[in-house]
Amino acid sequence: MVGNFMNFAAYLFMGIPAGMMITKIGYKKTALVALTLGFIGMFVQYLSSLMGTTAMSAYIVYLLGAFICGFCVCILNTVVNPMLNLLGGGGKKGNQLIQIGGSCNSLVATLTPMLVGVMIGEITKQTSLGDVVPLLIIAMAIFAISFIIIYFTKITEPETVKTNVLEGVKGALGYRHLVLGIIAIFFYVGIEVGIPGQLLFYLSEPVAKGGVLGSMAIAGGIAAIYWLLMLLGRFTSAFISGIVSSRIQLIVTSAVAIVLLIIAILMPETAKMELKEAEVPVKVLFIILCGICTSVMWGVIFNLATEGLGKYTASASGLFMTMVVGGGIMPLIQNLMATRVGDINSYWLIVVMLAYLLFYGLVGSKPSRVESDESMKKTAN
């Protein structure tokens, strides 16, 4: 969880600078910088795998690599989301393109925990980052190949207006639906990461210590189903987003996710099902089904939050990415909460965050500019 926190903590420092990079050097060059950082981050983590399993210095180097990788992903998200939204002309079409991009993201997110689970198997004192070195090498190769492809590809840059950083941030924050939207994304990423993250702890904890399965391989396979459902959800959303509005999608998915989690929390532990030659509590099924709901939330929240921002879109995207730090903070809080109330009861925190997303879909996402409202009040007075 500390490694996860370091990865997302980078968003707090890089979100706004990433938006500034887009306005100064453009989308393509910003993406190339991000890919370079990604390669460096994975290489640093690879170096930590060579330093032994017990050295504290190896753990510190690993965390440094996670932090650098966080810079990479933050910048890439800042580039990709507004570019897709702008190329789609905003609205339903913009959300549709974001969901298509998210489907590619979910495909790899589905495969990764499965591969990690197979490579690690049973967790022992000898388990180390060295067990997944092949994945680190593959990741470095992907960053290198992507850099080459983008470098030699001609990309039509969406229009950006070069504004003063403070002016851009202030202008973007003048829109109430953006302010409430960046709070929504803070909670959303905590939800997306927290649901499968805590589920892994719940399932992989050794039976002798009160756990359910004690197998990382099986737990990783079950967690992968969550990401697979996210893939299917985003793939479906890519088709329906041209018809169904982002607001309706957010309202329905957040409400359904709340119901699913409440059922999972209240369902008795004794209700079990056979899965991969192991008995798994039925409540796990309701937890992983949330993947269908969370699948569309990133795209629809970004689409709703940046609607009508025009020249402030790049600055808004930077603010948006800054709040993705929620993916490190909220799962850590949930994990600490789980040590006191149990893994399953910690999902009440997720329910509360989903309730805010429901509020945002119902009320907070309606476009409203704070400055305009204040001007109208002055005029009325």
Side-chain angles (χ1 to χ4, degrees), residues 272-334:
K272 295 187 176 182
M273 59 182 176
E274 289 289 332
L275 187 63
K276 289 189 176 183
E277 301 180 354
E279 284 194 339
V280 180
V282 177
K283 62 176 62 192
V284 170
L285 176 63
F286 290 92
I287 294 174
I288 60 177
L289 280 174
C290 289
I292 297 177
C293 301
T294 58
S295 64
V296 305
M297 290 179 178
W298 172 274
V300 298
I301 293 173
F302 184 88
N303 183 255
L304 290 168
T306 58
E307 190 69 27
L309 264 62
K311 66 179 182 179
Y312 298 120
T313 300
S315 296
S317 183
L319 289 167
F320 210 70
M321 290 306 113
T322 299
M323 298 304 284
V324 174
V325 69
I329 295 175
M330 299 313 296
L332 189 60
I333 293 175
Q334 183 186 2

Side-chain angles (χ1 to χ4, degrees), residues 73-96:
V73 182
C74 175
I75 298 173
L76 284 178
N77 271 313
T78 309
V79 169
V80 172
N81 288 292
M83 192 172 214
L84 291 174
N85 198 42
L86 289 169
L87 291 175
K92 296 177 182 177
K93 184 65 177 179
N95 179 38
Q96 189 173 33

Side-chain angles (χ1 to χ4, degrees), residues 189-199 226 327 330-331 334 347 350:
V189 187
I191 292 167
E192 182 193 280
V193 176
I195 290 177
Q198 201 59 48
L199 185 63
Y226 170 86
M330 299 313 296
Q334 183 186 2
Y347 280 94
I350 303 290

Side-chain angles (χ1 to χ4, degrees), residues 96-296:
Q96 189 173 33
L97 291 182
I98 292 175
Q99 296 299 348
I100 292 173
S103 297
C104 298
N105 188 329
S106 295
L107 176 60
V108 181
T110 300
L111 298 175
T112 301
M114 294 175 65
L115 291 172
V116 171
V118 170
M119 289 179 176
I120 293 179
E122 298 294 327
I123 296 178
T124 67
K125 291 182 178 179
Q126 285 70 44
T127 300
S128 71
L129 195 62
D131 295 325
V132 292
V133 161
L135 280 184
L136 300 179
I137 294 174
I138 291 171
M140 285 188 281
I142 289 173
F143 280 122
I145 293 171
S146 299
F147 183 97
I148 294 171
I149 292 173
I150 292 179
Y151 183 83
F152 289 104
T153 301
K154 184 178 180 181
I155 297 176
T156 303
E157 298 263 344
E159 280 189 42
T160 57
V161 179
K162 294 185 178 182
T163 59
N164 177 276
V165 178
L166 292 177
E167 179 187 336
V169 171
K170 184 179 178 181
L173 291 177
Y175 292 83
R176 184 180 289 112
H177 65 288
L178 171 67
V179 175
L180 296 177
I182 59 179
I183 296 174
I185 210 63
F186 178 88
F187 286 144
Y188 162 70
V189 187
I191 292 167
E192 182 193 280
V193 176
I195 290 177
Q198 201 59 48
L199 185 63
L200 275 173
F201 287 113
Y202 174 62
L203 294 175
S204 62
E205 183 76 12
V207 177
K209 293 184 178 181
V212 178
L213 298 174
S215 171
M216 184 62 184
I218 298 177
I222 294 174
I225 298 175
Y226 170 86
W227 295 107
L228 176 61
L229 291 175
M230 283 195 69
L231 169 62
L232 295 175
R234 283 174 173 170
F235 188 72
T236 302
S237 179
F239 286 96
I240 68 172
S241 290
I243 304 172
V244 182
S245 71
S246 297
R247 186 166 172 265
I248 294 300
Q249 288 188 56
L250 181 59
I251 292 171
V252 172
T253 54
S254 56
V256 171
I258 289 173
V259 173
L260 288 172
L261 284 182
I262 290 177
I263 292 174
I265 294 170
L266 299 180
M267 181 173 286
E269 193 93 17
T270 52
K272 295 187 176 182
M273 59 182 176
E274 289 289 332
L275 187 63
K276 289 189 176 183
E277 301 180 354
E279 284 194 339
V280 180
V282 177
K283 62 176 62 192
V284 170
L285 176 63
F286 290 92
I287 294 174
I288 60 177
L289 280 174
C290 289
I292 297 177
C293 301
T294 58
S295 64
V296 305

